[in-house]
């Protein structure tokens, strides 16, 4: 057997191992290598649909055959905007097998938003819900996409019909660790969304690290109620469970009732903070009903220390909070065995270099000093799709990625995120870039200018709020503004409240003082 030097994605940076050529060299080969018993349950939905690992292999083979028949070649993008289902996850795996680049899209995105993503990514195939198939298909055709297929949540849609007639026997397309596995769009503080290019190594290395760090094993059953078009529900949850050879119980969305019903069958759960806030409102959440759970993980947005404490009091479990980004996968995590400290995001993960620097000079800061968090490691993305200047602007010459998050590291190595250097609102775990919302509001006739801010919200963490400057005597109403945004912006980006003012507050440099607006509206969504 020929041996070659191979940078194992799960090893610490710089460490190499001589591996035989037959060892996994891409994410799907790695996933396949973990399947010890194909009869094992991979995913079960809350309405009782079951997919074993053998089912996953057969269906992903069929779907990969269909993609290739539609002209998909290695490196081609496959854009997918569908509702959550096991078939949708299996379609992601089919893309890996076909060597395609998976491009998941939030199902709240409007056609206006999708036009940009499809135009920018130039996918070979678009997959839509049966409901949206006609409209999205027309848009895709206009943008030169070769084929649009549909996929429903009950095994329906044109893609499944084609898969039924296709061969399950698919010869996986070999990929290298530096080849792209996925592109996930993330909005920017200025201008258009950027496609974060994630390689096979980025995804594999992070999932392997998380399996070890969080002690996932084949005995694990994950309660999965997150969406599967973002890093958290797709990569953190799905890739980790696949590499642990575990099982997932799928719910279409956060539903406290259903989650309490299914929890006795599970060992772990991942959620954004809103999950924990909502479950705490359910009286059935007790030490007894969570006794068999071994781990609750939170991320994507700050978990309030109060929520952490309330959860521990009610269940006896200390939520494990971790910190990540679309561009970097997971960077830090509270420990499995050690102290999980509320208000911190734990330690830099093995293989991840993390530093806090002065945002202006880039000079490294000392223990306890607040600065910009920068990270480097096999988890960090390759760059923004077709945006070399934006990519260059967000990396330091020594390879560190500038996260835009402000934080500190204490003497024990715990990282604490204390703010954001980027103008960003995180609502229920979804990022909303004020600039994008302001641009839409400013285009409304009769609006002078606007400022979009996030203020504390008991359910979503932060509530998107607009302050709109209009000329004296204007008759523009909140309802008018919201009506104009409908169909242009996904619902979660739309302000929960709109206020009108004569002028926005500005500092001496003429910059809008969002801190003043945030202070004025800080109790807007307070409980009670
Ligand atoms: C839904 N709505 C939201 C919203 N989600 N509004 C603001 N923020 C949100 N996050 C709106 C809907 O449009 C609707 O409006 C109303 O709220 C209720 O809709 P719903 O469908 O019933 O909402 P619900 O199912 O309760 O969803 C809330 C949620 C969901 C928080 C459970 O948004 C969610 O699952 N968020 C997870 C996001 C996520 O996975 N983020 C990870 C990104 S990856 P109306 O007006 O019609 O009533 C990442 C990296 C990392 O960040 O570190 O992980
Ligand atoms: P996204 O671009 O959707 O991947 O969002 C990434 C951003 O979410 C990060 O840059 C952080 O600002 C934020 N984030 C993720 N996890 C946490 C966390 N545990 N605490 C605070 N912020 C977080």
């Amino acid at each position: 057997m020929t041996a070659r030097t191979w940078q194992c994605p799960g090893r610490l940076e710089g460490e190499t191992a001589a591996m035989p050529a037959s060892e996994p060299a891409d994410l799907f080969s790695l996933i396949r290598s973990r399947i010890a018993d194909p009869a094992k349950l991979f995913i079960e939905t809350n309405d009782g649909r079951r997919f074993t690992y053998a089912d996953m292999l057969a269906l992903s083979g069929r779907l990969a055959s269909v993609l290739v028949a539609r002209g998909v070649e290695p490196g081609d993008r496959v854009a997918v905007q569908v509702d959550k289902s096991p078939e949708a996850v299996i379609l992601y795996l089919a893309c890996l097998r076909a060597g395609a680049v998976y491009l998941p899209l939030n199902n709240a995105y409007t056609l206006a938003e999708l036009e940009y993503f499809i135009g920018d990514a130039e996918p070979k195939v678009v997959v839509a819900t049966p409901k949206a198939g006609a409209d999205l298909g027309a848009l895709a055709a206009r943008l030169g996409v070769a084929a649009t297929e549909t996929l429903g949540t009950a095994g329906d849609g044109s893609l499944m019909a084609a898969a039924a007639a296709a061969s399950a026997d698919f010869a996986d397309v070999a990929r290298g660790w530096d080849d792209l596995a996925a592109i996930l769009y993330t909005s920017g503080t200025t201008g258009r969304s950027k496609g974060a290019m994630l390689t096979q190594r980025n995804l594999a290395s992070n999932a392997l690290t998380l399996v070890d760090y969080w002690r996932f094993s084949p005995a694990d059953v994950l309660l999965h109620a997150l969406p599967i078009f973002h890093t958290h529900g797709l990569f953190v949850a799905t890739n980790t469970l696949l590499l642990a050879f575990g099982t997932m119980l799928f719910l279409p969305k956060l539903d406290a009732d259903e989650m309490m019903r299914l929890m006795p069958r599970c060992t772990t759960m991942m959620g954004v903070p809103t999950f924990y806030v909502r479950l705490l409102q359910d009286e059935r959440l007790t030490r007894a009903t969570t006794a068999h759970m071994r781990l609750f993980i939170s991320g994507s947005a700050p978990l309030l220390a109060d929520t952490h404490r309330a959860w521990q009091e009610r269940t006896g479990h200390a939520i494990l909070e971790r910190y990540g980004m679309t561009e970097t996968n997971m960077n830090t995590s509270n420990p499995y065995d050690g102290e999980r400290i509320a208000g911190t995001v734990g330690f830099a993960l093995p293989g991840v270099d993390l530093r806090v620097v002065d945002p202006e000079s880039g000079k490294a800061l000392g223990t306890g000093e607040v600065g910009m968090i920068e990270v480097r490691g096999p988890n960090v993305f390759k760059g923004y799709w077709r945006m070399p200047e934006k990519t260059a602007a967000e990396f330091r010459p020594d390879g560190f990625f500038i996260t835009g998050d402000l934080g500190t590291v204490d003497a024990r190595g715990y990282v604490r995120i204390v703010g954001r250097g980027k103008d960003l609102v995180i609502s229920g775990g979804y990022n909303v870039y004020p600039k994008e919302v302001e641009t839409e509001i400013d285009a409304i006739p009769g609006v002078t200018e606007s400022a979009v801010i996030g203020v504390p919200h008991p359910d979503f963490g932060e509530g998107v709020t607009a302050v709109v400057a209009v000329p004296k005597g204007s008759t523009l109403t909140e309802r008018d503004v919201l009506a104009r945004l409908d169909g242009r912006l996904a619902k979660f980006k739309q302000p929960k409240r709109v206020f009108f003012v004569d002028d926005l507050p500005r500092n001496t440099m003429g910059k809008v003082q969002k801190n003043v607006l945030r202070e004025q509206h800080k109790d807007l969504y307070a409980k009670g």
Side-chain angles (χ1 to χ4, degrees), residues 186 299-302 321-327 345 403 405 417 420 422 424 426 431:
T186 150
S300 307
E321 184 171 7
R322 65 22 169 218
Y323 156 62
M325 286 182 79
T326 301
E327 287 94 332
V345 292
T403 62
D405 293 308
I417 296 174
R420 295 179 201 131
K422 48 195 174 190
L424 161 70
I426 305 184
N431 287 5

Side-chain angles (χ1 to χ4, degrees), residues 10 25 35 37 56 82 99 121 157 185 236 250 279 338 345 402 423 457 459 510:
I35 303 174
D37 172 12
M56 178 276 274
V82 297
Y185 275 87
V236 185
F250 254 38
L279 283 168
V345 292
I402 307 166
D423 191 13
H457 190 288
D459 188 34

Side-chain angles (χ1 to χ4, degrees), residues 1 38 56 151 181 183 197 212 223 236 293 301 314 330 336 344 375 380-381 422 472 528:
M1 203 181 275
M56 178 276 274
L151 177 63
I183 294 179
M197 299 189 288
D212 285 350
L223 186 56
V236 185
M293 292 290 280
R314 277 276 284 284
M330 298 306 100
Y336 190 80
T344 81
V375 293
V380 177
F381 76 136
K422 48 195 174 190
K472 275 201 170 31

Side-chain angles (χ1 to χ4, degrees), residues 326-337:
T326 301
E327 287 94 332
T328 64
N329 298 288
M330 298 306 100
N331 294 312
T332 74
S333 171
N334 271 279
Y336 190 80
D337 284 327

Side-chain angles (χ1 to χ4, degrees), residues 227 230 232 253-254 278 300 322 324 427-430 491 496:
H230 285 308
H232 198 162
K253 57 186 274 199
L254 169 55
R278 294 231 187 130
S300 307
R322 65 22 169 218
S427 170
Y430 286 140
K491 198 78 196 220
K496 300 279 175 218

Side-chain angles (χ1 to χ4, degrees), residues 404-416:
D405 293 308
L406 300 173
T408 64
V409 184
D410 72 13
R412 293 163 70 189
Y414 281 90
V415 178
R416 198 178 284 270

